[in-house]
Amino acid sequence: MAWTAFGSQDYSSLEQHGREIYNYFVHNPSEILKLDNPLLIGKIFQVCLGFQEPDQDIQEVRAENAFLCFSQALESNKANVHDEASARLMMLLIQNQRHLKNKVEQSCQNELASSYSIFDMYDSGLPNDMPMATNTKMLFTAYCLYDGIIDKANVSNEFVNEIERRAYENVKGHVLTNCNQLHNTSPNRKVELGGIVFDKICERLRKDIELLS
C-alpha cells in the first residue's frame, strides 16, 4: 500500500503507511532480517527520507533500515533485484549521506577505542591506504557497488519513477567523476576498499539489531 501510494503520488497515504512500517520495526527490530521482499521494504524507508522530518534520529533509522534491506536484496539470484539494490545503496551513500555518516564512522572505528585517544579511534584494523575521510569511504563504497552491477546499461530502468531515475543517474555521475579524479588509488583498489567499508557497515547494523533484540 505504501509503495502504491508513492507510485500514484499520494504522499499523505505514503507518509501514513510509512510511519506504520517504521513503528513496526521499532518494536520488532529482528524482523527486518527475515523479510521475504527486502527490496520493497527498503524502498519504502528510502522514499520516506524525502519527507520533512525534524527528528534526525528518525531519518538515520530510516536510512539504516533501508541499507539493511538493500544489503539483503543484494543476495538475490535475480539480476534485476540485485542491480536495483546496488543502485539504491549508492543513492543512500551519496544522496542521503548525512543520515548514514555517523553509522559509517562507528563502523570503521575500533569498538574498544579509548575516547581519550585519537590514535585508538583510528586503530580499526583497516588497511593503511584506507582514506581517513568518511565521505571518501562512502564514495569508494558506492564505487564498489556500481562495479558489482550486472547490467549497468539498463539498471536505471528499474526505477519506475522519473525523479528517482534522474537521482540515480546524478549519483552515478558523481561517483564516477569523483573516483576518477583520485589518481593515488587504482580503480581495483577503490573497489576493494569500498567492499571492506560495506562489510563493516553491514556488520555494525546487524550488531545493532542484535542489541535491540
Side-chain angles (χ1 to χ4, degrees):
M1 293 170 68
W3 190 246
T4 299
F6 175 67
S8 61
Q9 300 182 9
D10 180 1
Y11 297 120
S12 177
S13 294
L14 170 62
E15 190 169 14
Q16 174 190 338
H17 296 312
R19 187 182 303 113
E20 292 168 357
I21 293 169
Y22 177 93
N23 289 333
Y24 175 81
F25 288 109
V26 166
H27 297 293
N28 304 277
S30 63
E31 292 300 308
I32 205 164
L33 301 177
K34 307 172 185 176
L35 300 173
D36 293 330
N37 192 344
L39 179 63
L40 177 60
I41 301 300
K43 290 195 288 190
I44 303 302
F45 280 116
Q46 186 173 41
V47 297
C48 285
L49 287 169
F51 288 118
Q52 295 296 321
E53 174 56 65
D55 190 336
Q56 290 308 301
D57 288 340
I58 290 177
Q59 293 291 70
E60 288 187 2
V61 171
R62 283 172 172 160
E64 291 166 13
N65 284 352
F67 198 101
L68 262 176
C69 289
F70 296 147
S71 67
Q72 294 174 73
L74 281 182
E75 300 173 9
S76 172
N77 56 11
K78 297 179 179 178
N80 62 320
V81 172
H82 170 277
D83 285 356
E84 184 179 353
S86 296
R88 289 185 174 280
L89 282 164
M90 290 172 63
M91 293 165 68
L92 282 174
L93 288 161
I94 305 301
Q95 186 181 29
N96 304 117
Q97 185 175 103
R98 65 190 181 280
H99 303 314
L100 282 172
K101 198 166 186 178
N102 289 338
K103 189 58 60 179
V104 175
E105 289 175 350
Q106 291 174 19
S107 303
C108 293
Q109 70 184 30
N110 186 350
E111 291 185 2
L112 303 176
S114 165
S115 59
Y116 302 101
S117 172
I118 191 170
F119 299 105
D120 282 349
M121 185 182 300
Y122 293 108
D123 180 20
S124 56
L126 295 173
N128 292 334
D129 59 339
M130 178 68 74
M132 291 186 66
T134 303
N135 62 337
T136 309
K137 289 186 178 77
M138 298 172 84
L139 177 68
F140 282 10
T141 305
Y143 186 74
C144 171
L145 288 158
Y146 179 73
D147 182 73
I149 291 177
I150 298 164
D151 188 356
K152 292 179 175 62
N154 295 306
V155 63
S156 63
N157 294 332
E158 298 302 323
F159 295 92
V160 296
N161 181 285
E162 182 61 27
I163 295 174
E164 284 198 308
R165 187 181 297 115
R166 287 200 304 268
Y168 165 70
E169 292 293 345
N170 289 336
V171 165
K172 180 183 74 172
H174 172 89
V175 169
L176 296 180
T177 298
N178 283 273
C179 276
N180 288 338
Q181 291 174 352
L182 299 174
H183 302 296
N184 292 335
T185 307
S186 71
N188 286 343
R189 187 57 178 161
K190 290 168 189 169
V191 170
E192 291 171 355
L193 294 173
I196 292 170
V197 175
F198 178 77
D199 289 342
K200 283 190 168 291
I201 299 169
C202 292
E203 181 182 7
R204 178 70 264 170
L205 290 174
R206 287 178 177 271
K207 284 183 178 179
D208 289 347
I209 294 296
E210 290 174 8
L211 290 172
L212 290 171
S213 303

